[in-house]
Amino acid sequence: MTATPGQAAVAPADARRYRLSIDTGGTFTDGFVTDGDRSAQVKVDTTPDDPTEGFAACVAAAAGALGETVPAFLARASLVHFSSTIATNIVVQRTGADVGLLVTAGHEETLYGSGEQAGLLAGFVHPGAIRGVPEATGPDGAVQNPVDPAGLEAAVRELLEHGVHLVVISFARAHLNPANELAAKSLIETSYPRHYLGAIPLVLSSQLSLDPDDHARTALAVANAYIHPVLARSMYKAEDRLRAHKFRRPLLIINTDGSSTRVAKTRAIDTYNSGPSAGVLGAAIVARALGTAHVVTLDVGGTTTDVAHVSAATAPRSVSTGFGGLSLRHPAVALSSFGLGGGSVVTAGPGGGLAVGPRSAGAVPGPACFGLGGSEPTPTDVWLELGYLEPGEFLSGRRTLDPGSGRAALAALGSELGASPEEAALAALDAIHTTLATHMRAWAAGQPGLAGASPGSQSLFSYGGGGGLLAVPAAAALGIDEVVVFPQSSVFSAFGGSLLPIAHTYHAAVTDVSDAGAVGQALAGMLDRAARDMRAEGVPAQAALTAAVTLSDFTGQETTTAGSFPDMLSDPAAASVSLPGGGGRGRLSVRITAVSDPPLRPAGPGPGAPVTGTRKVRFADGVMEVPLASGLGCPGEPPVTGPAFLAAPDTTVFVPAGWTAEFGALGYGIVRRQGGDD
């Protein structure tokens, strides 16, 4: 199937539809694509200067993996998901927008919080770009003083002279009544109309959150504004690259709440850390399919390892998001990270002991064996020296490792220890496992639900480039006897993103939570807006849609009702909720979800002929020929007894002595301790 330049390829009516999910990380951009029967995974270099270059390369690689041209592939694509570290990188590198902030007069220095809180926020909005506006809303939500037009105009003019690129409006008590924020927005847009080049992008705190804490709401709005412009440019450019090949559906952005939304309806802050979150959310879906009650997820990258506890097939949630030193009142997947990865630097201490991380060699120069100028040993150098990695097979042959450079780094370490390079590598491997165990146990101590679980109900899900070499030591440190490894391990966040539904959440302030009529009127407007958004997302009219409606006041009372979205849309009054025992102002929230439960299918063993053979691995008691098995992705393959390697695209999975691997109905590797609980 081909298309002439500028002409869209036309998919046959009976053609299967492709679902593509792309995750842009710091070093690689990963893709997972499926048509329901076949699937493929691809990995290309991330392009930091313009992440959409790597995005486009990943689309092309996915099309090629299924034997399609890009136009033909996109003509048959029903969904394209995108998660990334773009927002994270903006914060780490401090390359966000120049933000201006308007607050209620008198709060310019404290920003409704303490001096310390205001100081932390100064990293994202310069104190010189903050102005106060005369206005006031009372504790009952009534407007006491409307916005002073002259004071507002002077404040905005000063912010523009300061060089801000967009303005946040965050007034005290706007959660009770956003009228003054809306009035300020209207006045500014009248002075700077949108059709002029001088139009000012505006962010209202009450449109992002109805949190009763004025400082928390302000911090969230500033953080969102800081990353918004760069993120918007990247997301729209990625979508434009798809449209250039006549892809007519919206690009769907992965959000940290487990949903996906089109670019135009995505809030910047909702994408923060979306890639790692997608891995945990995907793990929860897999846990449900496997019937595993308690899952520890282990995602090992080049610099850090991320861990989470999935309980009852539900991803863990946190009420706050860490954001460059800030703790934002914004829900997120509860992930913990520690500084241990394939690029962590191994150093000798004064007493002859070894330390691993948290300092990392990074992507450049990277481990010494990358041959890019690195001279300090890392776990990757250790694994190569001991035979766990093959020089020509790293990243499926896309990068050839340099054993000589890795050995030189270990020789330097050995000279400090009075040991040979081989002895230094074995000592470093012990230190890597000891450091891993220390981190895992420290994390698990804060997971009471995991500590009380029976051994037979626990499993560790391993993914990420280095997960397969650290999975069993991590599980052993926690007393877990079962590890699950995946054919999609090296692209698991992209795989997880492919499983997430389209969903939208809306909120509105209500004047009286006990007034069912007023609440019902607000709900009807929100449901109508949701219907328009779902149509714009390309959700079919016959799709199964659910709705959850929550009404709460600001004293902690809350009630929720859930049901069919079409039923609520046809009769909003029947779905209306109220708090008869409550009274006064509150907030109404609605979440609409397009129920999406794509079946999990065997991924297949990956491209190319089955991988077999052996690797020479150095253990403490000598060198051994360790077999390489190709059962991953192949349901029902014969079990494998360790020590053995399981072949997997772009990663290495090691089954040590005393453990066995079986291959279940989905082709996942189920690695169990011999003699452990089944």
Side-chain angles (χ1 to χ4, degrees), residues 291-335:
T292 308
H294 294 276
V295 170
V296 172
T297 63
L298 181 81
D299 181 4
V300 182
T303 301
T304 61
T305 292
D306 296 332
V307 290
H309 174 209
V310 173
S311 177
T314 302
R317 303 287 180 174
S318 171
V319 297
S320 62
T321 297
F323 186 94
L326 298 177
S327 180
L328 300 177
R329 198 81 64 83
H330 182 263
V333 171
L335 274 169

Side-chain angles (χ1 to χ4, degrees), residues 487-517:
Q488 310 94 339
S489 174
S490 69
V491 298
F492 197 83
S493 287
F495 169 70
S498 73
L499 304 175
L500 301 182
I502 297 172
H504 285 279
T505 300
Y506 309 87
H507 66 255
V510 292
T511 56
D512 188 350
V513 295
S514 64
D515 185 343

Side-chain angles (χ1 to χ4, degrees), residues 302-303 342-346 358-368 370 374-378 381:
T303 301
S344 297
V345 174
V346 182
R359 189 165 61 87
S360 172
V364 178
F370 279 12
S375 59
E376 297 179 293
T378 68
D381 298 301

Side-chain angles (χ1 to χ4, degrees), residues 16-19 33-39 598-602:
R16 284 194 171 274
R17 290 292 187 178
Y18 296 126
R19 296 168 61 99
V33 60
T34 181
D35 64 3
D37 288 330
R38 299 178 300 159
S39 65
L600 294 173
R601 300 179 184 274

Side-chain angles (χ1 to χ4, degrees), residues 188-464:
I188 294 171
E189 288 179 343
T190 299
S191 298
Y192 302 90
R194 292 185 179 182
H195 58 278
Y196 287 142
L197 292 177
I200 306 170
L202 301 172
V203 176
L204 274 59
S205 74
S206 58
Q207 291 181 338
L208 277 170
S209 169
L210 292 178
D211 194 305
D213 185 319
D214 291 332
H215 177 78
R217 197 174 61 255
T218 301
L220 182 65
V222 167
N224 185 82
Y226 185 78
I227 61 177
H228 176 95
V230 175
L231 194 68
R233 286 194 296 271
S234 293
M235 297 295 100
Y236 276 115
K237 188 173 181 180
E239 187 169 56
D240 288 344
R241 286 181 177 274
L242 297 178
R243 294 188 186 281
H245 291 288
K246 311 304 180 185
F247 181 67
R248 296 306 185 196
R249 295 173 181 265
L251 172 64
L252 297 175
I253 306 302
I254 299 297
N255 298 316
T256 54
D257 67 353
S259 68
S260 59
T261 50
R262 71 187 189 276
V263 178
K265 287 294 181 177
T266 297
R267 305 187 313 176
I269 193 63
D270 292 335
T271 72
Y272 190 75
N273 216 26
S274 60
S277 297
V280 178
L281 293 162
I285 295 172
V286 174
R288 184 178 66 222
L290 297 182
T292 308
H294 294 276
V295 170
V296 172
T297 63
L298 181 81
D299 181 4
V300 182
T303 301
T304 61
T305 292
D306 296 332
V307 290
H309 174 209
V310 173
S311 177
T314 302
R317 303 287 180 174
S318 171
V319 297
S320 62
T321 297
F323 186 94
L326 298 177
S327 180
L328 300 177
R329 198 81 64 83
H330 182 263
V333 171
L335 274 169
S336 295
S337 298
F338 50 84
L340 176 62
S344 297
V345 174
V346 182
T347 56
L354 295 179
V356 185
R359 189 165 61 87
S360 172
V364 178
C369 61
F370 279 12
L372 300 176
S375 59
E376 297 179 293
T378 68
T380 301
D381 298 301
V382 171
W383 293 326
L384 178 63
E385 173 66 25
L386 296 178
Y388 292 89
L389 300 177
E390 284 290 328
E393 297 177 9
F394 191 70
L395 297 176
S396 297
R398 288 191 301 278
R399 171 172 283 160
T400 299
L401 300 180
D402 178 6
S405 295
R407 172 170 268 255
L410 288 165
L413 179 66
S415 67
E416 296 185 64
L417 303 176
S420 67
E422 295 88 349
E423 292 169 335
L426 288 169
L429 185 65
D430 285 342
I432 293 164
H433 291 171
T434 298
T435 302
L436 174 68
T438 299
H439 284 303
M440 294 299 295
R441 289 171 184 147
W443 166 79
Q447 308 295 318
L450 184 64
S454 64
S457 68
Q458 301 178 43
S459 182
L460 184 142
F461 285 11
S462 166
Y463 49 92

